[in-house]
Amino acid sequence: VKRRHTLDQTGKGGDDFVIADHKDLWSNYDNGCTIRLLCPHQHSEDVHALLSTLELEWGCMVGANAYLTPPGAFQGFSPHYDDVCAFVLQLEGKKHWKVYRPKISERLPRVSSKDYTEDEIKDFELVLDVILEKGDLLYMPRGWIHQACTLPCNDHSLHLTVSIMQQWSWVDYLELLLPVALQAAASSETSTSLREGLPRNFLDYMGVVHDQPDDPEELKSASKSRDLMREATESEDPEKKRLQNEKDRKRLLFLDEAKKRIMRVSKEAFSMVDAACDEIGKRFLSDRLPPALTPAELSLTVENKAEAGRAIFPNTMCRLVRPGIARLAIEDGKAVLYHCIDNSLAFHEAPLSPLEFEMDDAPAVEALLTTVEPHWVMVKDLIHDDIEDKVEIVKALYDEGILATLQAEKPDRIP
C-alpha cells in the first residue's frame, strides 16, 4: 500500500485546470509516478463517441480519466473507494487489481473515501485479486474499495476508467424535490397549517427525553422505569399526576399535528414528482457531453443543409436525430425545450440555450422529440391547427441541429 502524492500544478489566476510540465513529466514517470489524463474525450474522438453512446444507454452523465503507470510494481493511488460506479478498460500492458467488499455502513457512499493505510485495509474482505490484460474490463460498484499496481516486469499499464452515477441517487433527487415541495406547501393559499405557530411550551413534553423507544425490550424497560417514577410521584402529589397526564395528552396531540403537516408536504411532493424529474433532466442535459453524431446522422441534419439544399415541406419526414438529447418542460405558461447539441467537450463551458414555444405548440414539439430511429413523422401529421405553424416548429428544431429530416416524396407545397 502506497500513499498518494500529487505533483500537478494548478493554473494561474485560480483556474482549476492542471498544467503538465513537459520538462519533468517523463522523469517523474521514470521514477514511478502515474500520469493521469483528465477528460480524455477532449482529445480523442473515439473516447467522446464511447462516452456519448454510454450516456444514451444509461441516461446519466458519463465521465472518464486515463491512467499510465510505469512497469515495476508501481501504484498510482492508495486503497480507496469512489462516489461513482467505475468501469476499468485495460488498453495496454497489465495491471494487478485488488477489490474489497465495503462495510454495510459504507455501501453506496455519496462521497469518495479517504486513502486507507495498510493496517486499515486488513479489516476489509478481499473479494477480487486479478491481473487485467489488454482488452479486459473490470466493473466496480460505487463504494467498493480498490487498489492497483503494475507488475514487477517490463509491462507498463494504460487503462481508461469510465465513471457513471455520480450524484444520481434517490437522495439526490429528493434533495431537489423536497425543499420545493415544502416551500409550495408553506405558501399555500388554501391552508395556513404550516405557517401556524408552534404550541406554547411544547418543549416541556417533546424531545428525546420524552420519547418512547421503538425496540420492544427498551420500551418495556423504559415503561417500567416511568411507571415506577409515576407511582412515586402520584403517591406524593396528585397534582403532579394531573400535570403528567396533561403532558402525555399534549405530546400525543403534537405528534398527530406533526404527522398531518408532514403528510401535507408529502402530498405536495408527490404532485411535483414529474416537475422534479424535469429539473434533474435539465441538470443532466447541462452536465452531459454533446452527442457524437455519426456521419449517417449528420447527413440528415442542418449540418448537411448546404449539400442537400434541404427545405421543410408538409410531407417532409422528421425525427429527433439522437434519442434523449432534448427535453420539453412547462415553465411559466410556456413550453420550453432544452437540448445538449451545443454543449462543449469542456464541462459547463457552453450554457444551455433553450427554445421557447407557446403552449399550443407543445403537442407538436413533443411528437418530434419522441419520434426516434427507425421511425419518422411527417410535418403535416403533427398536432396543430395551422400547417404554417407546423412547418415553423420543425424549422426551428431543424435549424437548432436536433432534428433529422428526409424528403422521400416530391415536396408538397403549403396551400
Side-chain angles (χ1 to χ4, degrees):
V1 176
K2 298 183 179 180
R3 307 302 291 174
R4 170 183 168 189
H5 178 60
T6 302
L7 301 177
D8 298 323
Q9 304 173 39
T10 56
K12 296 179 180 179
D15 295 325
D16 58 2
F17 59 83
V18 174
I19 300 172
D21 187 344
H22 67 280
K23 295 180 180 179
D24 62 12
L25 177 66
W26 291 110
S27 65
N28 284 321
Y29 174 82
D30 291 337
N31 289 326
C33 292
T34 292
I35 298 174
R36 177 174 62 170
L37 176 62
L38 303 176
C39 305
H41 60 269
Q42 296 182 18
H43 312 283
S44 167
E45 292 182 358
D46 290 339
V47 176
H48 175 208
L50 171 64
L51 301 189
S52 178
T53 300
L54 294 178
E55 285 186 333
L56 171 62
E57 179 67 25
W58 284 319
C60 68
M61 182 183 171
V62 180
N65 291 323
Y67 299 87
L68 177 64
T69 304
F74 287 109
Q75 180 173 335
F77 291 89
S78 301
H80 68 283
Y81 63 72
D82 296 308
D83 61 347
V84 295
C85 296
F87 295 83
V88 176
L89 177 60
Q90 192 69 28
L91 301 176
E92 295 179 4
K94 301 177 181 179
K95 205 161 196 180
H96 183 194
W97 285 84
K98 292 183 178 181
V99 181
Y100 304 82
R101 187 183 306 277
K103 296 178 180 178
I104 294 178
S105 60
E106 295 176 338
R107 290 180 182 175
L108 299 178
R110 301 189 68 196
V111 295
S112 298
S113 74
K114 64 172 186 175
D115 290 341
Y116 288 99
T117 66
E118 187 172 359
D119 287 337
E120 290 171 330
I121 204 65
K122 293 177 181 178
D123 296 332
F124 295 89
E125 177 190 357
L126 177 65
V127 294
L128 188 64
D129 188 338
V130 65
I131 295 175
L132 294 189
E133 300 184 9
K134 182 178 179 180
D136 288 341
L137 181 69
L138 170 64
Y139 167 64
M140 290 179 293
R142 176 161 46 111
W144 286 64
I145 302 165
H146 53 275
Q147 61 175 320
C149 65
T150 50
L151 305 182
C153 59
N154 294 326
D155 280 332
H156 69 279
S157 169
L158 175 64
H159 76 261
L160 183 73
T161 296
V162 176
S163 59
I164 63 170
M165 302 295 288
Q166 187 174 44
Q167 297 178 2
W168 200 253
S169 65
W170 276 104
V171 66
D172 297 296
Y173 171 74
L174 292 175
E175 280 184 342
L176 185 67
L177 169 62
L178 293 181
V180 180
L182 177 60
Q183 182 59 38
S187 304
S188 171
E189 296 180 357
T190 60
S191 173
T192 62
S193 65
L194 288 173
R195 303 195 297 272
E196 293 173 359
L198 289 164
R200 182 171 64 89
N201 292 330
F202 73 95
L203 295 179
D204 290 346
Y205 49 86
M206 297 304 302
V208 293
V209 296
H210 304 284
D211 188 21
Q212 292 278 8
D214 293 329
D215 182 78
E217 289 301 319
E218 291 184 16
L219 179 61
K220 183 178 180 180
S221 176
S223 297
K224 184 177 181 180
S225 298
R226 190 168 294 177
D227 289 343
L228 290 174
M229 293 177 62
R230 286 183 179 176
E231 288 176 7
T233 300
E234 292 167 10
S235 62
E236 293 176 2
D237 191 344
E239 178 61 15
K240 287 185 178 181
K241 174 184 177 182
R242 186 189 69 79
L243 291 176
Q244 183 59 51
N245 288 338
E246 180 65 12
K247 285 184 177 181
D248 291 344
R249 184 188 69 81
K250 289 181 177 180
R251 176 177 175 81
L252 292 175
L253 181 62
F254 187 98
L255 291 172
D256 184 61
E257 291 298 321
K259 180 179 179 180
K260 289 178 182 178
R261 286 160 176 80
I262 292 170
M263 294 303 296
R264 177 179 291 277
V265 175
S266 297
K267 183 179 180 180
E268 188 72 39
F270 195 74
S271 73
M272 304 174 75
V273 164
D274 283 315
C277 287
D278 284 335
E279 288 299 315
I280 205 168
K282 289 188 322 190
R283 190 186 82 182
F284 172 41
L285 286 173
S286 175
D287 292 348
R288 69 182 298 184
L289 295 171
L293 300 180
T294 65
E297 290 171 326
L298 286 171
S299 69
L300 300 173
T301 70
V302 70
E303 292 295 325
N304 197 37
K305 184 176 182 179
E307 291 81 355
R310 188 166 290 126
I312 306 299
F313 300 98
N315 65 342
T316 299
M317 296 192 297
C318 315
R319 69 180 178 214
L320 194 64
V321 66
R322 177 73 69 83
I325 64 170
R327 187 175 188 87
L328 189 66
I330 306 301
E331 299 176 357
D332 299 324
K334 298 288 185 179
V336 184
L337 186 151
Y338 293 87
H339 65 80
C340 63
I341 201 74
D342 295 325
N343 283 14
S344 170
L345 291 174
F347 187 65
H348 285 181
E349 188 174 70
L352 293 179
S353 180
L355 301 178
E356 188 175 284
F357 296 89
E358 298 299 328
M359 286 298 295
D360 60 350
D361 298 332
V365 175
E366 182 180 0
L368 292 168
L369 299 188
T370 55
T371 302
V372 298
E373 189 178 10
H375 305 289
W376 296 93
V377 60
M378 278 194 179
V379 175
K380 62 185 178 183
D381 293 331
L382 296 174
I383 301 174
H384 210 293
D385 294 335
D386 196 306
I387 186 61
E388 286 87 357
D389 287 339
K390 295 180 184 182
V391 170
E392 288 304 313
I393 291 170
V394 172
K395 282 183 177 179
L397 273 61
Y398 177 70
D399 290 342
E400 200 72 8
I402 65 174
L403 279 192
T405 64
L406 181 65
Q407 194 65 48
E409 303 174 359
K410 183 180 178 179
D412 280 344
R413 298 295 172 182
I414 298 177

